[in-house]
Amino acid sequence: MTGASGAIGSATARALAADGWPVVVHYGGNVEKAGAVVASIEEAGGRAVAIGADLADPSAPEQLLADAVAALGPVRVLVNNAGITRDNLALQISDEDWQTVIDVDLSAAFRLLRAALSPMIRGRYGRIVNVSSIIALKNNPGQANYAAAKAGLLGLTRSVASEVARRNVTVNAVAPGFIESEMTDGLLEDLVGHIPARRAGQPEEVAAAIRFLASPEASYVTGSTLVVDGGLGA
Amino acid sequence: MSTVTREDVEALVLSSLEELGAEADALSPTATFEDLDVDSLDLAELSQIVEEKYAVKLQGEDVAKLRTVEDAVNLIVERAAQ
């Protein structure tokens, strides 16, 4: 579970642990938060380990996966949740801010997926869930880099899903709308009026969707995007 | 790698292809992957099996050129000898 120290990531890590999965709580920089997530999973009787990795580094995903296998055994479920934003109008996005967002939000997800697929295919079982965003489907000025990365995740999801479906490996995406998290701090008040549900989503509501797609019960769902947005994109 | 024999490689390739769904009766060194209904995902998985067994890495472009069982055996033997 990448980006597992954030709001959606930590809620999902706890939900997967509640289903009995041992969980690798990946974090980019916030070791304290990751440690707190591990502690809360262990308190609830689950098993988890925190592993740090800078996913902007192209060699990090493969190492993260190797560390995960060493810590908890074969990876049967991969949730690509790590994401960053570097918001600006397209006119003012620097090459660096474009590339960093693409590297972390899209390329790292691909590299992790590529490394995880091999044992999943050999084991005839796997669940990959890519956490995209409603921004991949709807306009949002000031997020061209983030929108491109998140839309890229949806294309990646559909394409790989069709490649590996006959090996009992599913690849799906969730597209959260506006969820209460560190990424939407201070933004939600003005937006709530546009959401048919008239409220922001809770991280646990996204976690529930991921939990389903990661479960054995979702065996005939692949290449799909589950939108969790209170009706915003309807 | 000097202990890898052509017979070993051929036996591994044939048994792996059978495991991947190829008809046992149709398997022979000259059989084409098309005739065996072996597709690109099967060949990617065969590459994984070969890598696990002989530590020989077959790249996507290498595999894309393979037409017959013999082609695969030749490539693996050649790479194992390097």
Side-chain angles (χ1 to χ4, degrees), chain A residues 117-119 121-122 124 163-167, chain B residues 19-20 39-43 45 48-49 52:
Chain A
L117 267 181
S118 190
I121 287 170
R122 295 288 293 131
R124 300 291 188 269
E163 291 176 9
V164 299
R166 63 192 182 282
R167 295 290 197 268
Chain B
E19 184 195 319
L20 291 168
D39 66 10
S40 55
L41 181 63
D42 297 322
L43 289 177
E45 197 170 340
Q48 292 170 26
I49 295 168
E52 283 163 20

Side-chain angles (χ1 to χ4, degrees), chain A residues 31-130:
Chain A
V31 64
E32 290 83 12
K33 270 192 178 176
V37 175
V38 169
S40 69
I41 288 172
E42 288 174 343
E43 274 166 31
R47 199 166 156 227
V49 58
I51 301 179
D54 173 12
L55 293 180
D57 173 356
S59 66
E62 205 161 316
Q63 186 60 50
L64 172 58
L65 207 84
D67 292 345
V69 171
L72 293 177
V75 174
R76 312 255 287 163
V77 176
L78 167 67
V79 183
N80 277 312
N81 170 69
I84 58 165
T85 54
R86 295 284 185 274
D87 294 352
N88 217 326
L89 293 177
L91 278 168
Q92 290 164 325
I93 292 177
S94 66
D95 280 352
E96 189 187 349
D97 282 350
W98 171 266
Q99 198 57 52
T100 305
V101 171
I102 297 292
D103 284 346
V104 175
D105 295 12
L106 179 59
S107 301
F110 165 69
R111 292 181 178 119
L112 276 162
L113 170 152
R114 182 176 57 186
L117 267 181
S118 190
M120 286 180 178
I121 287 170
R122 295 288 293 131
R124 300 291 188 269
Y125 185 89
R127 298 281 181 268
I128 297 174
V129 184
N130 294 317

Side-chain angles (χ1 to χ4, degrees), chain B residues 11 16-17 29 35 38 61 65 69 72-73:
Chain B
S16 300
L17 291 173
D35 290 343
V38 166
E61 61 267 29
K65 289 181 199 151
V69 172
V73 173

